[in-house]
């Protein structure tokens, strides 16, 4: 292959993935928070190819919808007759001089170094292999003499001696379009003899029969080039990806209590000296300022946490912002639109939605704050509920600065509590409470001395 010609990447993604036992097409199974094929596409794009062709077939509408972008071309493989058939379809009508790199939609984490080596190889055909402890399920690399790839034998066609080979085919290979087209055409005849399935892997034996140089590269990162056929392999790739993400975060200065109990399913930006305790799950876009600490078992999705804030154990935060020096949790739930201004505190079993808690304001226990603005330094007593929903519409509550809401109050929105107002415990507030005054609604307390407990009749 000449390096000067443009590179075309083909991604095979037409298979059903029967061994997953899922309604979701295999290449759309989530890995690190995105469909598996997204990782393949990212790696393909990093090579700066002229085109990327995705071969789709099973649930092709769903796959097309999930992957999009510039320079992407889809080829429909209506019947999945094998990987050779898929590549032949993708290369129909392609200029024979073009360089082609074949990637598998179910081999998501291939190191870029391996792809660079395949693409940069001077051989007519370059195959990426790996040496593994347990080769079961993979095509075996038959070398003759050692180091020279002679052919690839699929497991189902391998005799017991060949099955002992621990060098396996990753599926990834590079060659010129014209060569692949010719080799595949030769392989089609063999496919017919073999009851139908048309193997891409047969191109190796055909190239060798033509006395053409075939290069074999063995990946230095065997675990990263393994395919995903079932749930266990998917989980293994997830761990591998998470380990790499954890290591990258630690290199960037993030302290993790345990990198094996860290899950980043989106993007994370962080300042200096942040700390994440075990089992924190981060999704979407998460941004942490300097010295932020996150306790064990927290889940954050699309959240910004400013410097010095502390999110304590088992808190769940989504689409919200936590200001500097705030303390949240343990067991707090901040739903979309929650906003904590500097120094605000939210304690256990407090839920906030579309709600702003002013600077140094507190809601420390058992409270629902929905569609509300709470002023600076206000204190929201335990059990306070904003009754924001009348069954049809949502209404807002406004609580002024320095207000004090007594425990177990219901604030029936729309309603306004003035600055420095005090609401007596147990109040059902249905009208605005003026500033600087005590407002309460409470049945007067009474004691009845003429009353006695009912007793069970004897006998
Ligand atoms: C394939 C290789 C095997 C290799 C392994 C590495 C062949 C014949 N075998 O086996 O040597 O060790 O991958 O993971 O290539 N696909 C299509 N159209 C089809 C069939 C498959 O697009 O008609 C796609 C699948 O969606 C998948 C990929 O090709 O993304 C591989 O197919 P799969 O059936 O998983 O092949 P393996 O049995 O894993
Ligand atoms: Ca596979």
């Amino acid at each position: 292959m000449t390096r000067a010609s443009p590179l075309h990447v083909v991604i095979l993604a037409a298979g059903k993935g029967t061994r997953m036992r899922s309604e979701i097409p295999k290449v759309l199974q989530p890995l690190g928070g995105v469909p598996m094929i997204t990782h393949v596409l990212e790696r393909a794009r990093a090579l700066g190819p002229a085109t990327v062709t995705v071969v789709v077939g099973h649930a092709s509408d769903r796959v097309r919808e999930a992957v999009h972008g510039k320079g992407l071309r889809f080829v429909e493989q209506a019947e999945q007759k094998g990987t050779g058939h898929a590549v032949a379809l993708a290369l129909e009508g392609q200029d024979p001089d073009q360089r082609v790199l074949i990637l598998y939609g179910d081999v998501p984490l291939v190191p870029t170094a391996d792809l660079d080596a395949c693409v940069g190889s001077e051989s007519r055909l370059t195959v990426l292999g790996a040496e593994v402890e347990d080769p079961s399920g993979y095509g075996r690399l038959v070398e003759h003499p050692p180091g020279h790839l002679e052919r690839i034998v699929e497991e189902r066609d391998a005799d017991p001696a060949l099955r002992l080979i621990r060098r396996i085919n990753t599926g990834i290979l590079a060659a010129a379009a014209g060569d692949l087209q010719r080799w595949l055409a030769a392989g089609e005849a063999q496919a017919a003899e073999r009851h139908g399935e048309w193997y891409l892997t047969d191109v190796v034996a055909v190239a060798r029969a033509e006395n053409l140089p075939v290069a074999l590269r063995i990946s230095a990162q065997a675990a990263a080039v393994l395919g995903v056929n079932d749930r266990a392999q998917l989980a293994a790739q997830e761990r591998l990806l998470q380990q790499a993400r954890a290591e990258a975060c630690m290199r960037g200065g993030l302290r993790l209590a345990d990198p094996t109990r860290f899950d980043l399913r989106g993007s994370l930006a962080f300042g200096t000296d942040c700390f994440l305790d075990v089992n924190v799950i981060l999704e979407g876009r998460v941004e942490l300022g300097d010295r932020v600490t996150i306790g064990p078992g927290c889940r954050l999705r699309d959240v910004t946490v400013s410097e010095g804030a502390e999110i304590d154990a088992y808190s769940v935060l989504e689409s919200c912002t936590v200001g500097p020096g705030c303390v949240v949790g343990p067991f707090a739930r901040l739903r979309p639109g929650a906003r904590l201004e500097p120094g605000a505190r939210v304690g256990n079993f407090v839920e906030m939605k579309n709600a702003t808690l002013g600077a140094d304001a507190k809601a420390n226990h058992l409270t629902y704050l929905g569609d509300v603005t709470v002023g600076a330094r206000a204190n929201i007593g335990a059990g306070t509920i904003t009754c924001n929903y009348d069954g049809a519409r949502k209404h807002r509550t406004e609580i002024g600065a320095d207000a004090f809401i007594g425990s177990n109050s219901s604030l029936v929105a729309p309603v306004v509590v003035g600055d420095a107002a005090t609401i007596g415990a147990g109040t059902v507030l249905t009208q605005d409470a003026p500033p600087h005054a005590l407002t309460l609604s409470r049945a007067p307390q009474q004691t009845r001395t003429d009353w006695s407990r009912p007793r069970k009749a004897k006998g």
Side-chain angles (χ1 to χ4, degrees):
M1 279 199 304
T2 50
R3 287 188 194 201
S5 51
L7 175 69
H8 295 263
V9 178
V10 174
I11 300 174
L12 304 191
K16 179 164 188 279
T18 312
R19 289 163 279 184
M20 276 293 168
R21 296 179 182 277
S22 172
E23 290 291 311
I24 303 167
K26 179 165 69 177
V27 297
L28 298 188
Q29 294 287 339
L31 182 68
V34 296
M36 182 155 66
I37 195 171
T38 307
H39 298 277
V40 184
L41 262 174
E42 253 174 37
R43 283 161 171 74
R45 290 209 170 106
L47 300 167
T51 64
V52 176
T53 302
V54 184
V55 182
V56 292
H58 174 76
S60 64
D61 289 351
R62 289 173 72 180
V63 179
R64 279 169 196 259
E65 207 175 291
V67 296
H68 29 68
K70 271 197 291 197
L72 207 58
R73 198 172 73 98
F74 291 97
V75 166
E76 194 80 31
Q77 185 193 23
E79 236 186 300
Q80 284 85 61
K81 296 186 192 164
T83 48
H85 178 235
V87 173
L89 284 178
L91 298 183
E92 256 175 29
Q94 295 263 341
D95 174 353
D97 288 336
Q98 286 171 348
R99 291 181 304 154
V100 176
L101 174 70
I102 309 293
L103 300 179
Y104 282 20
D106 67 349
V107 184
L109 303 180
V110 198
T112 307
D114 287 329
L115 298 183
D116 285 341
C118 291
V119 167
S121 168
E122 295 291 343
S123 283
R124 290 289 279 273
L125 172 63
T126 304
V127 172
L128 180 65
E131 194 157 316
V132 295
E133 281 301 310
D134 175 13
S136 42
Y138 295 98
R140 308 297 205 278
L141 304 180
V142 181
E143 293 165 67
H144 188 77
H148 292 263
L149 187 59
E150 186 186 72
R151 61 200 163 102
I152 298 174
V153 180
E154 289 306 303
E155 177 159 284
R156 70 190 84 132
D157 307 321
D159 61 30
L162 288 178
R163 286 189 182 201
L164 294 176
I165 296 175
R166 292 194 295 111
R167 284 192 163 189
I168 58 121
N169 172 36
T170 65
I172 289 154
L173 56 84
D179 283 341
L180 279 171
Q181 285 160 336
R182 192 176 66 256
W183 299 332
L184 282 167
E188 189 177 9
Q190 296 179 17
E193 284 167 32
R194 244 199 256 104
H195 312 290
E197 208 181 321
W198 184 355
Y199 295 162
L200 171 63
T201 46
D202 286 341
V203 298
V204 174
V206 180
R208 281 298 296 263
E210 289 183 359
N211 277 321
L212 295 174
V214 176
L216 173 61
R217 177 185 167 89
I218 299 296
S219 175
Q221 287 173 265
V225 293
L226 297 183
V228 173
N229 292 325
D230 57 31
R231 301 278 186 189
Q233 289 168 330
L234 181 62
Q237 294 296 303
E238 180 75 37
R239 275 305 101 211
L240 196 67
L241 177 62
Q242 293 303 343
Q243 187 191 327
R245 287 181 174 176
E247 281 165 11
C249 288
M250 291 189 293
R251 275 196 300 277
L254 182 66
R255 182 157 80 95
L256 295 177
D258 181 354
T260 67
R261 284 180 289 170
F262 165 74
D263 286 85
L264 174 55
R265 299 178 187 155
S267 69
L268 173 64
F270 51 86
T272 55
D273 294 312
C274 290
F275 170 63
L276 268 59
D277 213 327
V278 298
N279 296 329
V280 170
I281 297 176
L282 304 174
E283 299 177 335
R285 252 180 98 95
V286 175
E287 286 176 33
L288 311 178
D290 295 339
R291 299 178 307 284
V292 168
T293 69
I294 304 192
C298 291
R299 193 188 74 194
L300 278 66
R301 178 188 297 154
D302 295 316
V303 173
T304 301
V305 184
S306 298
E307 66 272 12
E310 186 184 335
I311 313 294
D312 210 340
Y314 304 105
S315 294
V316 176
L317 286 74
E318 180 179 356
S319 302
C320 60
T321 57
V322 176
C326 290
V327 178
V328 174
F331 302 103
R333 178 164 184 219
L334 303 188
R335 293 171 55 202
R339 186 187 149 81
L340 271 57
E341 290 183 347
R345 300 172 85 93
V346 168
N348 42 222
F349 310 109
V350 172
E351 175 180 346
M352 287 179 68
K353 191 221 68 180
N354 204 9
T356 298
L357 197 55
D360 297 314
K362 288 186 267 208
N364 275 339
H365 335 265
L366 300 153
T367 283
Y368 173 60
L369 294 173
D371 299 297
V372 59
T373 307
V374 178
R377 299 172 304 278
N379 190 329
I380 310 295
T384 298
I385 305 289
T386 52
C387 308
N388 59 331
Y389 185 52
D390 61 13
R393 283 163 306 159
K394 298 277 176 66
H395 304 279
R396 285 202 71 83
T397 300
E398 271 175 50
I399 298 173
D402 300 297
F404 183 100
I405 312 295
S407 296
N408 209 29
S409 296
S410 301
L411 310 177
V412 182
V415 73
V416 176
V417 176
D419 289 349
T422 301
I423 306 299
T427 293
V428 176
L429 193 73
T430 51
Q431 289 162 41
D432 293 354
H436 301 281
L438 170 67
T439 299
L440 72 169
S441 76
R442 195 183 285 169
Q445 182 168 323
Q446 38 174 308
T447 303
R448 302 275 295 265
T449 52
D450 59 342
W451 178 84
S452 56
R453 279 190 208 170
R455 288 174 204 277
K456 278 186 190 159
K458 286 211 177 94

